């Protein structure tokens, strides 16, 4: 990659050019973001996965720009208009808008008013006006009257059309206008369709709204744009034509003497035409699009961070679990799972109205708990959740058996998916949904990777943002989480394995097929026997895969096989076996990282190796904790301002945090109620955090609950 781009990326991300250069080189060699950030810290200077992903994003953008430059240069050269100065200007561009401005005069055009004027032979007159050489425009225009031009006024009009098009193609003028527009207010005006539409009511706040574009929050701009997309709002910038044209005229004239008054009048008239007809519509749209891209980026960032927190929820772990998908009329669907999440039994009980088979249901639930050795109970948080939780706790459960309320978001999507059909071809959607609820308690990451993140209820305007950028962010987030935690090679589903560094759908399927045929892997090295899994893929994935009870204890750690020899030397120097060293914190504390630095592996890598040896395979997610809603609150009608209640944060947006307090409707803590000024609610709360809140307002008609944090 050119130094121009490397330096630009380094400046944008506030890192060193050598860090960017090394990352780009590793991308070209086929290295992945998780591998680079975890095992190549010497080359990156310790960049984390988010920073490495940002380098990759900009590198790909500049690769696309380089291809665009090549196409533009070929086009201009084909026209015979490519000068050395123009080539230099194009090749030095690092902004798409600047590049397209340079190309604009040479871009193939449809037939325009300027084209017609040129065909009438008026370009020399336009040249004279443009260069300030003309002293008396009307007298000179008279010389162009003929078969194609019927008057001096028509000649001047045609010449102004040519000049207007030239004005619209001057890069300095376009950039000046961009700077002006970025500081304008964005306004929203109601359309006729909004006047008598109930659907438009949710957008009433933006009708007549005006706000500086540079300050408008992401969620507000996306809401206004959605209203425009649905036909209820017209969005624009509050441009002042005269002020804009005066500024453009000054910029145009500032490097040369002002023209004669008569010429100036013609140029100003052409400039006003250029502004209204050619520049304002396109640049206004461009600036609003630019603002939307910024809003998209913020919304996508929030979604990605929420997803990261959701996937990294603490797991209950390998416990025999009863999963309950609660319901009233259709009953509570129960699935009993073993320690690995395998379905052992399923049935339906009817503890609630209209059937109200409470005693029978209690007997069946107790019998299943005993028969299948249930250690944890997961209850979906949908319809009848609170009632089912109360019913379950009425049973005499073993002291070690805890009850958890689990988010159902996405469970119905999973139950009807191809993934679910492959896993449970003989079960209906109700059983699949219950299994998903149980498994997401046992190991949220392993289960949630099977579901489209947009179905998990943690996004903000997720269908309004750039879908390609959103998909890339979400995929990178899932990949980062999977590799951060590590994957059990002998139990992981193909849907989890596909997110492991260097694998993907094809290789993950091959791994599972090999595992099923051979009865499991006994070492990481055995991965090289998997069809189509070569040395490069092995290098990328090996450190993130775990083998419990294998031949080599290092295979159940994040130590990469490429550094095994260093560990063997450490053990030898201490006079112990590798097995005795792995997991022995006291022995590891005696190791000095600098003693084992080599030409290939520097201090950051060796430090990571020693840290991993001390606590091999440590799950970064921690342990799950149980939670209970207020026993006295079950519906909106039970709420009163001033009540203090326990809650769980279910979604974080730019404007606040949504909290489940157990009444089937989410309450909102607006960002203004956070008790201190914050740039983002994510600075204060985390997804699924247990909080104590105070009810400040309840709107029964709109089913809205306003909350604030308790002091």
């Amino acid at each position: 990659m050119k130094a121009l781009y490397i330096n630009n990326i380094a400046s944008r991300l506030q890192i060193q050019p050598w860090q960017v250069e090394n990352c780009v080189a590793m991308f070209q060699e086929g290295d992945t973001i998780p591998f680079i950030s975890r095992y190549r810290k010497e080359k990156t200077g310790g960049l984390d996965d988010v920073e490495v992903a940002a380098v990759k994003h900009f590198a790909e953008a500049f690769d696309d720009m380089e291809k665009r430059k090549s196409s533009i240069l070929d086009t201009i050269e084909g026209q015979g208009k490519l000068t050395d100065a123009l080539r230099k200007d194009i090749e030095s561009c690092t902004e798409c808008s600047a590049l397209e401005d340079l190309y604009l005069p040479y871009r193939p055009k449809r037939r325009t008013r300027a084209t017609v004027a040129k065909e009438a032979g008026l370009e020399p007159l336009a040249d004279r006006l443009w260069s300030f050489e003309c002293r008396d425009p009307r007298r000179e225009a008279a010389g162009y009257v003929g078969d194609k031009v019927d008057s001096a006024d028509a000649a001047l009009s045609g010449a102004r059309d040519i000049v207007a098009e030239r004005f619209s193609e001057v890069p300095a003028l376009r950039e000046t206008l961009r700077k002006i527009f970025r500081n304008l207010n964005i306004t929203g005006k109601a359309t006729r369709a909004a006047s008598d539409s109930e659907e438009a009511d949710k957008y009433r706040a933006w009708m007549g709204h005006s706000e500086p574009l540079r300050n408008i929050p992401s969620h507000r701009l996306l809401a206004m744009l959605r209203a425009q997309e649905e036909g209820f709002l017209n969005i624009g910038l509050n441009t002042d034509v005269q002020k804009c044209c005066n500024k453009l005229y000054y910029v145009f004239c500032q490097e040369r003497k002002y023209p004669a008054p008569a010429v100036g009048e013609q140029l100003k008239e052409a400039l006003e035409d250029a502004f209204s007809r050619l520049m304002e519509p396109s640049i206004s749209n461009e600036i609003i699009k630019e603002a939307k891209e910024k809003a998209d980026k913020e919304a996508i960032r929030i979604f990605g961070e929420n997803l990261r927190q959701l996937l990294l929820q603490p797991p209950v772990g390998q416990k025999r679990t009863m999963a309950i998908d609660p319901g009233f009329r259709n009953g509570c669907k129960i699935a009993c799972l073993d320690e690995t999440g395998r379905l052992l039994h399923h049935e339906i009980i009817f503890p609630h109205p209209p059937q109200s088979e409470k005693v029978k249901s209690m007997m069946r639930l107790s019998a299943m708990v005993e028969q299948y050795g249930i250690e944890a109970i997961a209850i979906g948080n949908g319809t009848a959740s609170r009632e089912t939780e109360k019913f379950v706790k009425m049973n005499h459960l073993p002291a070690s058996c805890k009850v958890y309320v689990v988010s159902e978001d996405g469970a119905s999507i999973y139950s009807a998916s191809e993934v679910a059909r492959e896993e449970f071809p003989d079960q209906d959607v109700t059983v699949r949904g219950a299994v998903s609820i149980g498994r997401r308690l046992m190991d949220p990451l392993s289960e949630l990777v099977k579901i489209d993140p947009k179905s998990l209820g943690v996004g903000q305007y997720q269908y309004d943002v750039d879908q390609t950028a959103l998909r890339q962010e979400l995929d990178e987030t899932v990949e980062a989480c999977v590799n951060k935690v590590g994957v059990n090679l002998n139990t992981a589903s193909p849907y989890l394995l596909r997110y492991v560094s260097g694998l993907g759908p094809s290789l993950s399927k091959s791994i599972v097929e090999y595992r099923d045929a051979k009865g499991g892997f006994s070492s990481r090295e055995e991965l090289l026997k998997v069809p189509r899994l070569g040395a490069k893929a092995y290098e990328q994935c090996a450190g993130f895969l775990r083998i419990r009870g294998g031949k080599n204890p290092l295979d159940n750690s994040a130590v990469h096989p490429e550094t095994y020899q260093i560990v063997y030397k450490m053990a030898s120097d201490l006079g112990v076996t590798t097995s005795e060293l792995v997991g022995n914190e006291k022995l590891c504390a005696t190791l000095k990282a600098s003693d084992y630095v080599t030409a290939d592996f520097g201090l950051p890598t060796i430090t990571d190796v020693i840290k991993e040896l001390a606590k091999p395979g440590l799950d970064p997610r921690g342990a799950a904790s149980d939670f209970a809603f207020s026993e006295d609150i079950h519906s909106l009608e039970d709420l009163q301002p001033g009540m203090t209640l326990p809650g769980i944060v279910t979604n974080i947006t730019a404007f606040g945090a949504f909290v489940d307090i157990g009444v089937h409707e989410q309450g909102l803590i607006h960002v203004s109620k956070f008790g201190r000024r914050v740039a983002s609610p994510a600075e204060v709360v985390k997804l699924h955090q247990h909080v104590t809140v105070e009810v400040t307002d309840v709107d029964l008609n709109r089913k809205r609950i306003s909350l604030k944090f308790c002091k």
Side-chain angles (χ1 to χ4, degrees):
M1 175 171 280
K2 293 180 178 179
L4 171 74
Y5 300 137
I6 289 173
N7 292 332
N8 185 276
I9 296 172
S11 177
R12 287 173 185 261
L13 302 179
Q14 296 185 323
I15 58 178
Q16 296 300 312
W18 64 265
Q19 294 175 289
V20 177
E21 189 171 8
N22 286 346
C23 283
V24 171
M26 287 186 283
F27 292 140
Q28 292 172 345
E29 292 171 3
D31 293 339
T32 66
I33 294 170
F35 178 80
I36 292 171
S37 60
R38 178 65 178 82
Y39 295 111
R40 292 295 181 263
K41 291 182 179 178
E42 289 86 355
K43 289 187 175 182
T44 69
L47 299 180
D48 62 25
D49 58 323
V50 175
E51 292 169 316
V52 174
V55 173
K56 185 175 184 181
H57 165 76
F58 284 117
E60 290 174 347
F62 281 130
D63 282 342
D64 291 341
M65 179 178 282
E66 190 65 13
K67 294 174 184 175
R68 177 63 175 160
K69 285 181 180 180
S70 178
S71 174
I72 287 172
L73 289 169
D74 288 345
T75 299
I76 299 175
E77 190 170 33
Q79 297 172 359
K81 299 177 181 179
L82 184 61
T83 64
D84 291 341
L86 180 57
R87 178 186 290 275
K88 183 178 179 181
D89 287 344
I90 289 173
E91 290 180 343
S92 64
C93 278
T94 56
E95 295 290 342
C96 289
S97 59
L99 177 62
E100 296 303 326
D101 281 352
L102 290 171
Y103 179 46
L104 190 57
Y106 310 97
R107 184 195 298 272
K109 298 180 179 68
R110 58 180 176 81
R111 187 176 173 82
T112 65
R113 282 163 48 174
T115 308
V116 174
K118 289 175 183 178
E119 291 172 352
L122 295 172
E123 191 162 23
L125 179 58
D127 291 341
R128 297 273 293 168
L129 292 172
W130 186 260
S131 62
F132 300 179
E133 294 175 2
C134 178
R135 301 296 300 177
D136 188 338
R138 185 165 297 281
R139 177 180 294 178
E140 292 202 25
Y144 291 86
V145 176
D147 293 340
K148 296 182 179 180
V149 181
D150 57 14
S151 67
D153 286 340
L156 285 173
S157 177
R160 288 196 301 270
D161 287 341
I162 297 172
V163 170
E165 188 167 274
R166 289 184 185 177
F167 273 133
S168 73
E169 294 173 347
V170 176
L173 299 186
R174 298 182 69 83
E175 188 55 35
T176 296
L177 212 52
R178 290 189 185 99
K179 291 177 181 178
I180 294 172
F181 282 10
R182 289 186 183 113
N183 288 295
L184 296 179
N185 277 20
I186 186 168
T187 61
K189 296 181 180 179
T191 63
R192 288 185 179 180
S195 60
D196 56 355
S197 171
E198 292 184 2
E199 293 181 17
D201 288 346
K202 56 187 174 183
Y203 301 123
R204 296 292 176 198
W206 318 128
M207 297 175 186
H209 181 72
S210 180
E211 182 175 2
L213 184 64
R214 66 179 181 275
N215 295 333
I216 189 169
S218 165
H219 63 278
R220 194 173 298 157
L221 177 60
L222 292 174
M224 293 177 71
L225 289 170
R226 178 188 289 180
Q228 179 172 257
E229 181 69 23
E230 294 180 10
F232 301 129
L233 203 66
N234 285 326
I235 292 176
L237 301 178
N238 65 326
T239 55
D240 185 316
V241 176
Q242 200 56 55
K243 284 185 178 180
C244 289
C245 289
N246 288 344
K247 179 64 176 178
L248 294 177
Y249 189 67
Y250 169 77
V251 171
F252 177 67
C253 296
Q254 65 181 344
E255 293 183 359
R256 44 181 156 173
K257 295 179 181 179
Y258 279 85
V263 175
E265 289 177 7
Q266 295 295 323
L267 290 173
K268 288 178 181 178
E269 188 174 346
L271 184 55
E272 289 180 7
D273 176 46
F275 176 84
S276 300
R277 182 168 56 89
L278 302 173
M279 301 175 77
E280 193 277 337
S282 65
I283 295 182
S284 177
N285 288 336
E286 179 187 327
I287 295 304
I288 292 176
K289 180 182 177 182
E290 178 183 279
K292 182 185 183 298
E293 288 172 353
K294 181 181 177 182
D296 283 0
K297 186 176 180 180
E298 176 62 11
I300 290 170
R301 184 196 65 77
I302 291 172
F303 195 165
E305 180 55 32
N306 285 351
L307 179 61
R308 183 187 298 267
Q309 293 178 24
L310 184 66
L311 295 177
L312 294 180
Q313 291 176 87
V316 166
Q318 293 187 320
K319 293 185 177 182
R320 289 190 161 236
T321 299
M322 173 183 287
I324 305 177
D325 184 359
F328 288 115
R329 181 175 299 278
N330 295 321
C332 296
K333 280 69 70 178
I334 295 180
C336 297
L337 313 174
D338 71 7
E339 298 89 339
T340 65
R342 184 171 63 91
L343 179 63
L344 301 174
H345 172 77
H346 66 86
E347 67 176 85
I348 301 177
I349 60 174
F350 298 89
H352 309 307
Q355 291 89 340
S356 298
E357 298 174 352
K358 186 161 291 188
V359 174
K360 179 180 177 181
S361 297
M362 291 180 70
M363 293 175 63
R364 285 303 307 143
L365 188 140
S366 297
M368 284 184 279
V369 169
E370 181 177 357
Q371 181 177 355
Y372 298 105
I374 298 301
E375 301 169 275
I377 297 178
I379 302 173
N381 69 341
T383 303
S385 174
R386 294 298 309 283
E387 293 80 2
T388 302
E389 179 188 7
K390 182 178 180 180
F391 161 74
V392 169
K393 289 181 176 179
M394 289 171 57
N395 288 263
H396 297 293
L397 300 172
S400 60
C401 182
K402 293 185 177 181
V403 179
Y404 301 83
V405 175
V406 179
S407 171
E408 290 183 5
D409 287 331
S412 60
I413 301 295
Y414 161 79
S415 64
S417 69
E418 184 178 348
V419 174
R421 289 194 294 272
E422 289 178 2
E423 288 192 293
F424 301 103
D426 300 325
Q427 305 296 343
D428 65 25
V429 293
T430 61
V431 176
R432 297 170 188 164
V435 171
S436 181
I437 290 171
R439 286 179 171 178
R440 63 176 64 187
L441 174 67
M442 298 172 70
D443 189 345
L445 179 60
S446 296
E447 188 63 20
L448 295 177
V449 295
K450 304 173 186 175
I451 303 169
D452 183 345
K454 288 189 288 187
S455 301
L456 295 176
V458 294
Q460 176 189 357
Y461 293 98
Q462 59 198 42
Y463 295 102
D464 298 284
V465 301
D466 184 308
Q467 295 299 295
T468 300
L470 177 62
R471 171 50 59 190
Q472 181 178 1
E473 173 71 17
L474 299 184
D475 284 347
E476 288 176 356
T477 299
V478 174
E479 183 181 47
C481 292
V482 169
N483 290 285
K484 181 181 179 71
V485 172
V487 172
N488 187 325
L489 182 57
N490 282 323
T491 61
S493 70
Y495 315 106
L496 185 62
L497 285 169
R498 70 176 57 183
Y499 288 104
V500 172
S501 168
L503 297 182
S506 180
L507 285 179
S508 64
K509 183 178 179 181
S510 295
I511 288 173
V512 172
E513 290 174 349
Y514 178 93
R515 184 178 72 191
D516 292 344
K518 300 294 182 179
F521 291 86
S522 59
S523 70
R524 282 171 168 167
E525 191 175 9
E526 195 177 347
L527 280 163
L528 292 169
K529 297 180 181 180
V530 173
R532 299 185 301 282
L533 199 156
K536 188 64 179 181
Y538 176 75
E539 175 194 57
Q540 299 297 302
C541 74
F544 303 105
L545 297 170
R546 310 281 186 266
I547 299 176
R548 295 176 182 171
K551 297 176 182 178
N552 189 334
L554 294 176
D555 285 348
N556 193 34
S557 74
V559 177
H560 196 283
E562 65 188 5
T563 56
Y564 280 8
Q565 291 301 321
I566 294 175
V567 177
Y568 299 152
K569 187 176 188 312
M570 291 176 177
S572 176
D573 290 349
L574 293 173
V576 297
T577 64
T578 304
S579 297
E580 291 171 328
L581 176 59
V582 175
N584 191 320
E585 292 187 56
K586 289 185 178 180
L587 280 177
C588 290
T590 66
L591 293 168
K592 189 176 180 181
S594 58
D595 292 342
Y596 298 95
V597 171
T598 69
D600 295 322
F601 303 105
L603 193 61
T605 294
I606 304 304
T607 300
D608 280 352
V609 167
I610 295 174
K611 182 179 178 181
E612 182 64 21
L613 289 174
K615 295 183 178 181
L618 178 67
D619 195 324
R621 297 173 291 178
S625 59
D626 54 349
F627 172 85
F629 291 114
S630 173
E631 294 290 341
D632 302 325
I633 304 299
H634 295 84
S635 67
L636 276 173
E637 289 74 14
D638 296 332
L639 297 176
Q640 292 293 330
M643 283 183 170
T644 299
L645 302 169
I648 300 176
V649 178
T650 57
N651 195 9
I652 301 172
T653 69
F655 55 84
F658 288 93
V659 179
D660 185 358
I661 55 175
V663 296
H664 304 304
E665 298 291 342
Q666 306 293 302
L668 173 65
I669 306 176
H670 192 269
V671 67
S672 63
K673 303 292 185 182
F674 272 50
R676 62 184 177 90
R677 191 164 187 173
V678 295
S680 167
E683 296 177 9
V684 179
V685 294
K686 301 297 180 185
L687 204 64
H688 284 207
Q689 180 178 331
H690 298 173
V691 295
T692 302
V693 296
E694 179 183 329
V695 179
T696 60
D697 187 59
V698 182
D699 187 333
L700 295 177
N701 293 328
R702 296 194 294 174
K703 295 184 177 180
R704 290 185 178 179
I705 309 166
S706 297
L707 306 170
K708 70 176 183 179
F709 288 114
C710 288
K711 296 182 179 179

